[in-house]
Structures are given as C-alpha cells and as structure tokens.
Amino acid sequence: MARIDCKHIRNFSIIAHIDHGKSTLADRLLQATGTISERELREQFLDDMQLERDRGITIKARAVTIRHEHKGEMYELNLIDTPGHVDFHYEVSRSLACCEGALLLVDAFQGVEAQTVANAYAAMEHELDVVPALNKIDLHHARPEQVLEEMESSLAVDPSEVLRCSAKSGIGVDDVLAAIVERISPPEGDPDAPLQAMVFDAVYDDYRGVISYVRLMNGTVHKGDRIRFLRVGREYEVVELGQFTPQRQAREQLVAGQVGYLICNIKALDDVHIGDTATAAHGEQAEPLPGYEEPKPMVYCGLYPADGENFEELREALTKLHLNDSSFEFAPETSDALGFGFRCGFLGLLHMEIIQQRLEREEDLDLVQTAPNVTYEIQTKTGETIQVFNPQQVPDAGKIEEIRQPIVRANFILPADYIGPVMQLCTEKRATYVRTEYLSPIRAILTYDLALAEVIYDLYDRLKSVTRGYGTMEYELRGYFPADLVRLDVLVGGKKVDALSVICEREDADRRGRAIVKKLRGEIDRHMFEIPIQAAIGSRVIARETISAMRKNVTAKCYGGDITRKRKLLAKQREGKKRMKSVGSVDIPQKAFLAVLETGGER
C-alpha cells in the first residue's frame, strides 16, 4: 500500500453526554462509507465488550479507520468513539490528545447537558477543531431552535455552523462526513522525522501478548523494525502492525498522522504504559511526548477473593485490567475479617462497579467488596500531613490536629421547574450555594460546592428522582478543606470489624451508627450464641442491636418429675453457650459490607 499524505488524514473523536447518540452515529459513519457490510452491522457496533452491550453504555474508547471519498480524493478518517459518563472522562481526555478535531453531538430534545459542557471545554483545552452537530432532529418532540440557543449561550457556538442530523435514520450523515474533511485540520507530522508514537491504549492477548494502540506523531514504522519504549527503556521487534477497520488488519507500515496498533510479543505487562512514547531503537532518537496527566482516584474500596486462596489470581487479573484501564490503581492490604486483598482506587462509583464486574466476568473471580470511601487528609499534632485511603488508617483522636475532606464543585443542569427540589436536596447534603445561570428561559445550571463523600453515596440517584430524570450533573475536585469528621467503628460479637468502619460527620455519627447496626442485624444470620452489634466512636458505644441465639429446648424430654433435673440441663446449656461465645466466630456475609454503604444516604 502506497504511503498516504498527511493532508489526506483526519483524526477526530465524537464527544457528547450519555445517550446523545455517539455510538449510533459511529454505526452510520461505518455504514455510509462501506467500512462494514450490511450483513456485519449491528447496533452500537464499536461497543464490543459484553458489559457495554448489557448496560447500553460505552465504557472503553474504540478506534476505527474509515476510508471516504470526498470531491474525487480519498481520505483516511480515524474515528475514536468515546464514553459519555462522568466516571470515564479520563478515557475522553486520552482520546482527544490523539486527535485534531472533535464532533460535538447534542440531543435535539434533551439539549445541552452536564457532560456536553465538560467535554466541549476539554476539546477546547486541547485546541481541537470542534464541529457541532444537532442529533435526533427527526424526533416528533425535538426542539432544535431552543437547543441551538442553549448551545450559543453555554458553549459560544454559532448556530449557522451547527450540522443537523439523525444518527438513527441516517439523515445528514453525508453532511457530517463532508464537515469532518473540510472543517478538521490534517495532522502536522513529518513521515521522514525520527519515529515518535504515542501509546494511547493497550490490551492483553493470551496468544499475542500486549497489543499497543498508537497514534504516530512523527516518523514511519515498518514491520520488522526494532522500537524502544522510552519510559521503561526496553527494545522490541515489531512482529505485526496495522489498523482497525474495525477489526485488526495488518499493514506493512504506519506513517505520521495514522492511528493503529503494534504487536511486539511483549509478555511483561509492566513494559507498556499508557501515555508512553515509542521510538526507533537505533539511529536518531525522538523526544518523549508529554503523555497524559495521571488520573486521581476519587473513590476507594477493598477487593478480596471470596476464597482466600485466590489472592495471586486476583493480583494477575488486576494487573491485566490495569493495562487496559490505567485510571484505577491497586495496592495489597490485609483485613482481620477478610484476609489478604487489595485496596483499589477508582474515578467514581460506576467505574468501581464496572471494574468489579469485569473481574468477575472476564477472569471468573468471586469477589468480596467493602463499602467505598473517599481519600482524606489528616494533619497530626506533630505537624505531619498524611493521606488516608481507608478508615483503618485514621490515627487515634488524641493525635489528630485537623481532618480535611475533598470538596467538589458540582454543576447541575436541569429544567427551571426543578430548581426548588434540587436546592432542597443540596441543603440536605450540606452543600454551599455558588450561583445559578440560565441557559434558556426553561433550563438552568445550578452550581454548588459539596463534600465528595456526599456525592458518591446517592446524590446522582436522588437528583434523577427529584427531577424526574431530566437533571444531569458533572463535578470537578476543588481541593481538601477542614471538616468535623470522626471514625465510626463497628463491633460484631465484641470484635472490631475493620472492613465495616466508616468516616463520617460528627453530627451525623449517631444517626449513621444506629442505621448501620440496624441494617447489620437483618443481614447477619443467627448463630448458636448471642451476637451484640455495636457502633462506637473511639471507646464510646453510640448504638447497639443484639442478634438472639438459636435455642434448643433441652428440657423437652423432661415431662413431670423433679425440677432440679431441668435446672441442671439449663445450667449445662448456659455453660456451653458461654464457651461457644468465647471460641466461636461470627460469619459475616458479603451483603453486610454493602449494607454499610446503603445507610449513607438515608436521612
């Protein structure tokens, strides 16, 4: 295949809020250009992970190369389909770093939503050419004129530049393809410069090893070349390279501006890092690319194998998954209640849920997950500042000078009719009001500062409930601010269960403690001995529930006769229960650990 000129390449992403039609538009583009046949076509073609198809959302960004003829010339369009949920914003930023343009999609009925604004600003920060498009214009309840006003006021988009299309029915898809060619700049790479390739994603294949997804900034790479990954300094031979069309298709070479994959028989998972630069092993070396800013996990929880013997299998599964999704982190930890496991950090609750389900489905693991919590900063009386990732790391109250919690700035986009209920919800969450802006006479943006811990429990669900599904939100971390917080411990059978401890507001501790012990009483099965469940702050017990013992009627065989015989049997039973209580252990089921989470939002 002849070397393609950079001016005939266009690299672009589709960015939008959840359910605004990104994956469906990608299907139409593949169909309109003949990249896939009618026989191969299925809905959300690029969402090839089973979990994505089950949930109906995009989790991983996917790259695909499309060939399109425009005004008699053939162009290569490299499309990266991106997720829309706030938890996967890191995937979007990685994709944008490999592109020169972005197709900004807005639903003609729902209008500008929270992630529309966040993704549009991300594209502007990367200095991309933004092509705005109004999708779903064929809906009978579409309101294109009002949505164009919202786009103009919130995103400074000129309404005359907005394309109109319907991803479902194919209306306007040819105009979209023409706009991609005409309005997005070609890449500026030099095919004859030293090789400089950005690794923007990677997957592990049991037969081929690590497959690196790359965007070539400069230079040319051929099959059989030796390349070096600059971060680890290791050299490898390229045994196969190619592009996604949308399946892997081998090529003899990739040149500056193209997007594709490299297979180098890499078996060591630690040798490939997202954001690394690949360059030629010999001859002139290229400078390393800036890469990506490391994502900061917001939510932490413990993952433990249900069968304690599967610790090494869990470690290997987490390492493989981390290669494909570098936005979560993990480190080994031990728990008195659960044994050996890992403390994992995630970008949000949905991200946490997806990682757990991928581990269970793809690696066939049975996991126990502890209640999630956020990171806190603690200043001790000696002046030292420590970061706390789980409640067990909180020092004794006498050693603490100040506890600081993460505060986020949340933007709620909602119909003006629901401003009152959302303000009431934010007041319950102890949020601080910042401002109100109107996108149009009937839609507004409410901005509040509130604790991240309040966001991760149930804020999103309650927002959907009070706005009847029309409210959306996105948030960004502002920093760590002082708060009056305490560690709430849970004792089961007199023993502290570290995996059930939580950090909460002092004024909230009594209510939270009572809710936790009440919930646990219903989740833990009765044993042959009495089990007290207590919530405590330090040495002070603030709530207690008792699970009564299962009792065998030992006097059933004594009918009539001397009362002393019955007393003797009952005394013997009491002694047995006392002995059992001292040596017996309480079996705590998995759902009990999640019950702690559910009590977080009950007011």
Side-chain angles (χ1 to χ4, degrees):
M1 193 175 98
R3 178 190 281 189
I4 189 165
D5 191 329
C6 273
K7 70 179 187 202
H8 288 121
I9 299 175
R10 300 290 184 272
N11 297 317
F12 71 101
S13 276
I14 304 178
I15 53 175
H17 190 77
I18 312 155
D19 284 341
H20 280 205
K22 294 179 297 299
S23 298
T24 309
L25 182 60
D27 290 348
R28 291 295 84 75
L29 296 177
L30 294 176
Q31 196 178 7
T33 54
T35 306
I36 53 174
S37 65
E38 292 293 334
R39 185 173 61 82
E40 292 175 294
L41 184 68
R42 64 174 194 271
E43 282 189 22
Q44 279 83 44
F45 188 86
L46 295 180
D47 292 346
D48 56 354
M49 197 192 299
Q50 188 57 45
L51 196 54
E52 291 179 314
R53 304 196 72 78
D54 290 350
R55 284 176 166 263
I57 59 172
T58 303
I59 294 166
K60 286 293 298 174
R62 270 293 310 271
V64 62
T65 299
I66 298 168
R67 302 207 175 278
H68 173 59
E69 189 175 338
H70 180 71
K71 294 184 179 175
E73 293 192 331
M74 188 59 77
Y75 288 84
E76 181 181 292
L77 313 180
N78 291 307
L79 154 68
I80 301 178
D81 183 30
T82 59
H85 195 280
V86 62
D87 282 13
F88 304 117
H89 188 67
Y90 179 64
E91 288 281 331
V92 179
S93 66
R94 278 196 350 216
S95 304
L96 295 179
C98 296
C99 299
E100 282 74 42
L103 192 58
L104 177 65
L105 217 54
V106 180
D107 188 308
F109 169 61
Q110 293 182 338
V112 173
E113 304 262 34
Q115 283 306 108
T116 313
V117 178
N119 289 337
Y121 285 154
M124 291 169 193
E125 281 169 20
H126 286 83
E127 297 179 355
L128 304 188
D129 300 317
V130 178
V131 179
L134 204 57
N135 190 24
K136 307 187 186 180
I137 56 164
D138 55 340
L139 289 176
H140 68 274
H141 51 269
R143 45 185 196 92
E145 300 312 317
Q146 293 100 307
V147 173
L148 285 172
E149 278 179 34
E150 289 177 17
M151 292 172 74
E152 188 177 13
S153 65
S154 61
L155 305 171
V157 168
D158 183 348
S160 64
E161 293 182 358
V162 179
L163 303 170
R164 299 189 180 211
C165 64
S166 168
K168 189 144 193 168
S169 60
I171 299 167
V173 169
D174 291 337
D175 296 338
V176 171
L177 285 164
I180 290 166
V181 173
E182 292 165 6
R183 290 159 65 174
I184 292 177
S185 310
E188 295 180 348
D190 178 1
D192 299 315
L195 175 65
Q196 194 181 39
M198 160 90 81
V199 179
F200 70 89
D201 207 350
V203 293
Y204 185 79
D205 185 288
D206 289 335
Y207 303 103
R208 309 301 303 269
V210 178
I211 300 173
S212 309
Y213 295 8
V214 293
R215 153 76 201 272
L216 269 70
M217 300 299 182
N218 286 298
T220 305
V221 60
H222 300 85
K223 183 179 177 181
D225 285 358
R226 287 196 69 78
I227 61 168
R228 173 183 286 124
F229 291 97
L230 292 179
R231 186 160 164 183
V232 290
R234 297 263 171 83
E235 291 182 17
Y236 287 98
E237 182 184 338
V238 179
V239 296
E240 184 182 314
L241 54 79
Q243 292 177 302
F244 301 98
T245 63
Q247 309 307 330
R248 290 202 304 264
Q249 185 164 10
R251 303 267 190 253
E252 285 303 311
Q253 64 175 21
L254 290 175
V255 301
Q258 288 189 305
V259 174
Y261 67 90
L262 301 176
I263 298 178
C264 306
N265 283 350
I266 302 171
K267 296 297 182 190
L269 295 171
D270 292 338
D271 284 3
V272 177
H273 295 271
I274 307 299
D276 197 0
T277 305
T279 186
H282 307 294
E284 194 178 348
Q285 300 282 303
E287 288 295 310
L289 292 159
Y292 303 110
E293 186 181 336
E294 287 291 318
K296 295 180 180 65
M298 298 279 201
V299 178
Y300 285 82
C301 83
L303 287 180
Y304 295 82
D307 180 355
E309 295 174 5
N310 292 342
F311 177 73
E312 284 304 324
E313 285 92 328
L314 179 57
R315 185 199 294 275
E316 190 179 333
L318 284 167
T319 309
K320 273 188 199 175
L321 201 53
H322 185 260
L323 175 73
N324 186 234
D325 182 358
S326 59
S327 57
F328 85 95
E329 60 182 43
F330 63 96
E333 71 166 7
T334 56
S335 159
D336 296 339
L338 300 171
F340 293 100
F342 292 89
R343 166 76 21 187
C344 302
F346 308 95
L347 300 181
L349 277 191
L350 178 67
H351 188 214
M352 179 187 82
E353 208 176 306
I354 294 295
I355 293 291
Q356 186 189 356
Q357 289 186 3
R358 285 186 72 183
L359 287 168
E360 290 178 339
R361 287 185 180 207
E362 295 170 20
E363 304 296 335
D364 197 24
L365 291 168
D366 193 8
L367 300 174
V368 174
Q369 175 203 323
T370 63
N373 58 275
V374 299
T375 314
Y376 296 91
E377 279 185 0
I378 293 179
Q379 187 175 341
T380 62
K381 291 196 170 167
T382 59
E384 184 188 2
T385 301
I386 55 174
Q387 279 209 321
V388 168
F389 302 108
N390 62 3
Q392 293 92 63
Q393 296 173 329
V394 176
D396 294 334
K399 296 178 182 176
I400 298 172
E401 181 70 39
E402 184 178 75
I403 301 182
R404 294 190 282 267
Q405 67 176 349
I407 299 292
V408 296
R409 177 152 291 178
N411 292 314
F412 303 94
I413 299 186
L414 63 156
D417 295 349
Y418 298 110
I419 288 178
V422 172
M423 283 184 150
Q424 174 68 31
L425 171 62
C426 291
T427 305
E428 287 178 21
K429 295 284 186 183
R430 302 187 188 86
T432 307
Y433 174 77
V434 179
R435 63 175 172 268
T436 305
E437 294 173 46
Y438 281 87
L439 293 171
S440 68
I442 58 167
R443 281 170 68 77
I445 303 179
L446 272 181
T447 306
Y448 274 89
D449 287 346
L450 75 165
L452 178 61
E454 294 287 359
V455 174
I456 71 161
Y457 283 123
D458 64 344
L459 182 65
Y460 191 71
D461 291 342
R462 293 187 66 194
L463 172 70
K464 287 292 181 190
S465 177
V466 300
T467 62
R468 297 187 183 175
Y470 289 111
T472 59
M473 65 172 275
E474 61 92 20
Y475 56 86
E476 60 180 0
L477 187 66
R478 282 195 63 218
Y480 289 82
F481 295 86
D484 188 13
L485 302 169
V486 292
R487 185 180 77 189
L488 183 64
D489 293 317
V490 177
L491 291 81
V492 178
K495 294 176 184 173
K496 190 188 293 181
V497 182
D498 51 4
L500 291 174
S501 299
V502 291
I503 298 172
C504 62
E505 296 268 352
R506 188 183 297 276
E507 65 180 76
D508 216 16
D510 281 12
R511 178 200 63 79
R512 191 85 186 272
R514 280 195 297 274
I516 287 173
V517 295
K518 197 171 181 180
K519 196 89 179 178
L520 287 176
R521 185 185 172 193
E523 299 292 355
I524 297 174
D525 295 330
R526 290 172 70 189
H527 288 52
M528 292 301 291
F529 50 90
E530 186 181 86
I531 305 170
I533 303 171
Q534 298 162 303
I537 300 171
S539 58
R540 182 171 68 91
V541 174
I542 58 170
R544 171 177 172 139
E545 290 280 342
T546 305
I547 300 174
S548 57
M550 287 192 285
R551 183 171 177 274
K552 182 183 175 185
N553 187 359
V554 290
T555 61
K557 58 189 176 185
C558 301
Y559 42 91
D562 189 359
I563 189 69
T564 54
R565 173 69 181 147
K566 290 183 180 179
R567 284 179 183 158
K568 198 173 179 182
L569 287 169
L570 289 168
K572 193 175 178 184
Q573 186 185 42
R574 271 198 302 276
E575 281 300 313
K577 284 190 181 292
K578 196 185 291 182
R579 191 168 61 251
M580 203 184 293
K581 191 174 183 178
S582 65
V583 298
S585 61
V586 182
D587 182 31
I588 304 174
Q590 153 72 11
K591 55 186 179 178
F593 294 100
L594 298 180
V596 177
L597 170 66
E598 288 168 21
T599 59
E602 291 171 10
R603 285 277 179 267

